[in-house]
Structures are given as structure tokens and as C-alpha cells.
């Protein structure tokens, strides 16, 4: 079964910071009853005024059951953003995934950050090399953090994606929920994923735990 996994570029939000131009390397591991995911993300500013930034993301997803092996995937993506305001960015990406191959993306990022709440919405257009299709997608992320004591925080994070081949046929979607605690630049807690693949929407569920660690540059 062919999948479209070009949504990888959407995870360029650094949720430990209220600024989309933070310079940071982030590692994340999520493991559940049916699959494990690992990702490495680096975001760097290209100029002193943070007008331009670049992000590089590597990703690996592995299912445990033999009948789910066709959903395994790995990918690498590099994105460049023009941050023309504090809350708005636009930029291209080049992405390679082990299943669909190469794709080129253009995304528009809307960022809203408050003292406790962070919201990101990213509509995107992308071209997949193996079939030549022009596709559309929409991603949004909402995170709430509240201080418990000193450097400990309670957090709830949800991420939702939908992608449509030629803007008309469902190709990929997911809903993810993370509930846990944050201590300094580390987060951990419970994780739940609900994934849908293809136009027939084959559903895969996974419940487990996640660990996320950030290494900000000084």
C-alpha cells in the first residue's frame, strides 16, 4: 500500500519555547502497544534578526505486528522559513520518505503563543515526485502548560493533520494527544495516536508513553 507521509515537515514547532525562531535540537521517543516513533529535530536562525530559519528533521516509525509492517517509514526533511512577522512564516521544504520518495512542499505557518497556551496552524501545498500530484494538507497543534511548582509544569498537547491527494481524495490523517509533565527542557507522560491511511481510511490506534528532550543553544 502506498502512503503519503509528506506531513513530516509540520513538526517544526519548538514547543518548549514561545518563539518560533528558537535555536534548538530536540529528540523525542514515543512507544506504545503497537508501534514506536523516534524523531530528531534541529532549528537554527540564519541571521541575527531571526528573519530566516532552517529546520532539519529525521523520523522513524516502526510497527510491531507483521501485518502492520507496510506502515513502517523513515524520512528526512529540510525546511527554510521566512519569518516575516513574529507570528507568520512561509517557506519551502525538500523531503524524502522511504515510502513515497521525494516531495517538495510550500507551507504557511501561523503561530500564536501566550503565557500558558500555544497554537500553530499550517496549511500546505506539496508535490509528490513519484506520481506528479499536487496535494493539500492542514495541520494544527494546541498545547496548554500550567506551572505546578518551581520548574515543574503540567501539559496537554494535541496535534491534528489531514491530507488530500489532488485536494479531493483522503491520503493521510492523524490525531495525537500527549498528557504529562514538563521539567525544564524535558517532557514525559501518556501518549495516544489515531492514524488513518489511504482513501479507504485504514485506521491504526496506539496508546503508550512519550519522552521529549530539548537542547537549546546559548
Amino acid at each position: 500500500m502506498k502512503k503519503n507521509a509528506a506531513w513530516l515537515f509540520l513538526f517544526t514547532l519548538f514547543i518548549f519555547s514561545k518563539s518560533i525562531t528558537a535555536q534548538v535540537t530536540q529528540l523525542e521517543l514515543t512507544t506504545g502497544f503497537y508501534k514506536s516513533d523516534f524523531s530528531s529535530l534541529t532549528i537554527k536562525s540564519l541571521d541575527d534578526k531571526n528573519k530566516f530559519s532552517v529546520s532539519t528533521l529525521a523520523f522513524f516509525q516502526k510497527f510491531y505486528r507483521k501485518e502492520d509492517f507496510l506502515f513502517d517509514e523513515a524520512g528526512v526533511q529540510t525546511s527554510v522559513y521566512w519569518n516575516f512577522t513574529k507570528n507568520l512564516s512561509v517557506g519551502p521544504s525538500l523531503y524524502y520518505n522511504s515510502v513515497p520518495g521525494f516531495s517538495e512542499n510550500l507551507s504557511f505557518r501561523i503561530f500564536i503563543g501566550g503565557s500558558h497556551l500555544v497554537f500553530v496552524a499550517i496549511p500546505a501545498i506539496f508535490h509528490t515526485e513519484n506520481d506528479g500530484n499536487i496535494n493539500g494538507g492542514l495541520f494544527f497543534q494546541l498545547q496548554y502548560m500550567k506551572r505546578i511548582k518551581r520548574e515543574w509544569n503540567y501539559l496537554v498537547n494535541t496535534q491534528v493533520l489531514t491530507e488530500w491527494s489532488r485536494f479531493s481524495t483522503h491520503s493521510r490523517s492523524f490525531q495525537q494527544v500527549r498528557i504529562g509533565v514538563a521539567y525544564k527542557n524535558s517532557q514525559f507522560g501518556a501518549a495516544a495516536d489515531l492514524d488513518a491511511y489511504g482513501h479507504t481510511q485504514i485506521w491504526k490506534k496506539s496508546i503508550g508513553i512519550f519522552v521529549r528532550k530539548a537542547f537549546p543553544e546559548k
Side-chain angles (χ1 to χ4, degrees), residues 184-198:
K184 295 183 178 180
N185 290 326
S186 299
Q187 298 181 357
F188 52 91
D193 292 356
L194 180 61
D195 297 273
Y197 299 90

Side-chain angles (χ1 to χ4, degrees), residues 41-76:
L41 170 65
T42 299
I43 301 176
K44 291 181 178 293
S45 176
L46 296 178
D47 61 299
D48 294 338
K49 295 183 178 180
N50 294 324
K51 287 295 184 180
F52 295 92
S53 58
V54 60
S55 65
T56 301
L57 177 62
F59 167 89
F60 177 74
Q61 174 178 274
K62 176 63 179 177
F63 282 86
Y64 307 145
R65 299 185 300 185
K66 185 177 181 179
E67 59 267 31
D68 293 332
F69 285 176
L70 75 165
F71 299 108
D72 293 351
E73 60 184 327
V76 178

Side-chain angles (χ1 to χ4, degrees), residues 75-141:
V76 178
Q77 175 150 336
T78 298
S79 305
V80 178
Y81 279 104
W82 172 38
N83 309 307
F84 56 93
T85 74
K86 182 179 179 180
N87 303 104
L88 300 174
S89 306
V90 64
S93 303
L94 179 63
Y95 174 60
Y96 175 77
N97 184 273
S98 58
V99 180
F102 282 98
S103 64
E104 304 87 28
N105 314 312
L106 179 65
S107 59
F108 185 84
R109 183 172 55 184
I110 304 168
F111 175 90
I112 301 174
S115 59
H116 299 294
L117 198 64
V118 172
F119 174 77
V120 174
I122 308 179
I125 298 174
F126 55 94
H127 170 261
T128 307
E129 290 288 345
N130 68 340
D131 56 18
N133 287 342
I134 302 297
N135 313 303
L138 175 63
F139 168 86
F140 71 84
Q141 179 184 55

Side-chain angles (χ1 to χ4, degrees), residues 10-27 41-43 55 109 111 118 120 141 143 145 157 184-187 212-217:
L10 298 172
F11 296 97
T12 56
L13 169 66
F14 174 44
I15 60 176
F16 293 97
S17 172
K18 294 182 176 62
S19 170
I20 60 174
T21 56
Q23 301 192 63
V24 64
T25 296
Q26 174 182 295
L27 302 177
L41 170 65
T42 299
I43 301 176
S55 65
R109 183 172 55 184
F111 175 90
V118 172
V120 174
Q141 179 184 55
Q143 177 171 284
M145 293 185 67
N157 180 281
K184 295 183 178 180
N185 290 326
S186 299
Q187 298 181 357
R212 187 183 295 120
K213 176 68 176 179
F215 303 92
E217 293 187 6

Side-chain angles (χ1 to χ4, degrees), residues 18-39:
K18 294 182 176 62
S19 170
I20 60 174
T21 56
Q23 301 192 63
V24 64
T25 296
Q26 174 182 295
L27 302 177
E28 178 178 324
L29 174 65
T30 302
T31 182
F33 292 110
Y34 301 110
K35 68 169 183 173
S36 290
D37 298 89
F38 176 78
S39 66

